[in-house]
Amino acid sequence: MNRSVGLRGKYLDFIYICRAIFHVFAFKGTRMSFLSK
């Protein structure tokens, strides 16, 4: 039980970091040079 809770915590942290990075790029602008290539 404790192992699954720890794994879920790491998963949520990963999701949170990915969302934070996405919001940074979205805040800088919709045009992203590395995606348009």
Side-chain angles (χ1 to χ4, degrees), residues 3-20:
R3 186 174 158 191
S4 62
V5 170
L7 186 64
R8 184 170 178 263
K10 289 182 180 180
Y11 180 72
L12 290 175
D13 286 342
F14 178 72
I15 294 285
Y16 182 79
I17 292 170
C18 288
R19 287 182 62 189

Side-chain angles (χ1 to χ4, degrees), residues 20-36:
I21 293 171
F22 174 77
H23 282 297
V24 168
F25 280 112
F27 182 75
K28 286 186 177 182
T30 54
R31 56 191 180 104
M32 299 186 216
S33 60
F34 65 92
L35 284 179
S36 62

